[in-house]
Amino acid sequence: MSAPRAPRPYMNPYLAGVGLGLVLLAAFVVMGRGLGASGAYASVVAAGVDRVAPTHAQANGFFSHYLAGEAPLKDWLVFEILGVFLGGFLSALVAGRLRWTVEHGPAMSDRGRLLYAFGGGALMGVGAVLARRCTSGQALTGGALLSVGSWLFIVTAFAAGYLAAPLFRKQWR
Amino acid sequence: MSAPLFELGAFGESTSLIIALIIGVAFGWFLEQGGMGNARKLAGQFYLTDLTVFKIMFSAVITAMLGLFWLHRAGVLELSLVYVPPTWILPQVLGGFVFGVGFVMGGLCPGTSCVAISTGRKDGLALLAGMFAGILAFGELFALLRRVYEATPAGTLTLPQLTGISYPVVVALVAVVGVAAFRLAEWIEQRGT
């Protein structure tokens, strides 16, 4: 990593949002589909299960759905997500924001924060799969397309977030 | 109509994967530029100290929504060829609830965790591992969960179809409500400081 220097401030949020919206619009115009994230992870998990226990994976109604094509990882969302990793890295590199660290407040340990992150990830994995999409696929994509289920997802996800927020505030104090 | 290009056969599957990578790079770029690779900043949304998540998410939704509307109006884009995520009422309400609790617990969402990881945040990696575990558990318990997963299908259902209000009016309403909500968000942030 380069010598420490002051990180550049983040972009104006509305400007970043418009940029993100234009990327989403480009996906609609070029591909006829929007953005996603959790679908890529489901493909990776299904491919992993298929690798370890192929008959078990093929017999499973959920995993087999992701294994229908010629190769589960040769998937649009998997390639898009690889791009997200790269794009985030390039942006932080240019802005001097690459840091090998764990984000948390002064009263929380690294280990504690990692456990919360793991637990939150597990819940989101279940929730996203049940809802069939996540913040990218429902909130951004379905939101712009005015899909009823996507707006239901947005409203319940934020309502649940605010309800549960006091339980997890100690991470940031 | 000349778009969506892929749906109209302008290029094939392998080109579409290269396009996926390019679109992903731009997606990740703007997420990081907005600070969305940092869980501390995302969590601020739920404690009303930093409403960046809301501002970015809804300015993106409004931008893309207006873009779709005007490109359709101009006869460039055939809207019926754009894939609309289908509605499943119960799974999306329940899934949204579980997801929302996970979101505030983890401080990142599935897409932003990639940016957290590639900018060196180890909590992003823990979150991704958790997501794999959650999806694996869901898949293994699919026989039990299938009834919930497949309950209340409503097909492709949009707000104009549901309410009977015309598409241009819904677009205008969402844009106006969005702008009002941005002003509210600014007010909430000012009040906190």
Side-chain angles (χ1 to χ4, degrees):
Chain A
M1 230 164 267
S2 56
R5 60 186 162 112
R8 262 194 247 156
Y10 291 123
M11 188 185 275
N12 173 296
Y14 299 109
L15 208 58
V18 169
L20 213 54
L22 292 175
V23 175
L24 176 56
L25 185 62
F28 287 140
V29 170
V30 177
M31 292 302 304
R33 61 173 297 166
L35 304 171
S38 55
Y41 306 145
S43 292
V44 170
V45 172
V49 175
D50 187 47
R51 187 79 187 247
V52 176
T55 37
H56 173 71
Q58 299 290 347
N60 179 300
F62 178 73
F63 296 133
S64 61
H65 169 77
Y66 291 92
L67 301 170
E70 43 163 335
L73 297 182
K74 219 180 136 190
D75 173 74
W76 201 85
L77 281 183
V78 171
F79 277 71
E80 181 236 52
I81 274 296
L82 290 174
V84 174
F85 275 98
L86 184 60
F89 173 78
L90 292 174
S91 166
L93 180 70
V94 170
R97 287 194 286 260
L98 292 174
R99 295 282 180 282
W100 187 242
T101 183
V102 180
E103 295 288 347
H104 57 72
M108 171 67 42
S109 64
D110 279 8
R111 195 193 160 91
R113 165 67 190 137
L114 293 176
L115 287 172
Y116 276 113
F118 183 88
L123 287 176
M124 276 189 289
V126 171
V129 160
L130 183 58
R132 291 162 171 82
R133 270 161 197 87
C134 62
T135 344
S136 314
Q138 294 290 16
L140 295 179
T141 303
L145 291 166
L146 305 173
S147 165
V148 172
S150 300
W151 283 90
L152 278 176
F153 176 86
I154 299 172
V155 171
T156 43
F158 275 97
Y162 282 105
L163 277 177
L167 298 172
F168 305 115
R169 188 157 200 180
K170 49 186 169 287
Q171 293 183 86
W172 311 109
R173 285 199 196 275
Chain B
M1 299 290 171
S2 46
L5 302 175
F6 178 70
E7 293 297 321
L8 295 171
F11 52 86
E13 292 284 343
S14 25
T15 308
S16 85
L17 295 180
I18 298 165
I19 289 166
L21 196 69
I22 296 168
I23 285 179
V25 168
F27 185 19
W29 175 277
F30 281 110
L31 284 175
E32 203 288 327
Q33 284 291 313
M36 296 293 94
N38 186 334
R40 190 197 302 260
K41 200 165 167 61
L42 270 96
Q45 175 69 41
F46 294 102
Y47 303 107
L48 301 179
T49 51
D50 184 338
L51 302 187
T52 303
V53 170
F54 173 80
K55 294 181 201 170
I56 291 185
M57 192 182 271
F58 282 87
S59 39
V61 166
I62 291 171
T63 302
M65 176 188 72
L66 291 173
L68 280 173
F69 176 78
W70 288 111
L71 289 177
H72 166 70
R73 259 286 156 102
V76 176
L77 177 77
E78 177 52 54
L79 258 187
S80 64
L81 293 178
V82 176
Y83 180 74
V84 178
T87 293
W88 300 74
I89 296 161
L90 183 69
Q92 281 160 354
V93 168
L94 276 180
F97 195 89
V98 175
F99 186 91
V101 176
F103 194 177
V104 68
M105 184 181 189
L108 293 161
C109 67
T112 53
S113 72
C114 302
V115 178
I117 293 167
S118 69
T119 58
R121 271 68 179 182
K122 285 177 270 189
D123 40 330
L125 212 51
L127 191 118
L128 182 66
M131 236 157 355
F132 284 143
I135 294 170
L136 181 65
F138 184 94
E140 290 301 329
L141 297 172
F142 189 64
L144 285 171
L145 297 167
R146 191 165 199 155
R147 279 187 59 192
V148 181
Y149 184 75
E150 288 171 355
T152 59
T156 304
L157 181 65
T158 63
L159 291 172
Q161 288 165 349
L162 179 76
T163 58
I165 304 171
S166 72
Y167 176 52
V169 174
V170 174
V171 167
L173 280 174
V174 171
V176 168
V177 170
V179 172
F182 292 146
R183 300 200 62 165
L184 179 68
E186 294 298 335
W187 180 77
I188 291 171
E189 278 183 349
Q190 304 266 302
R191 200 195 46 160
T193 53

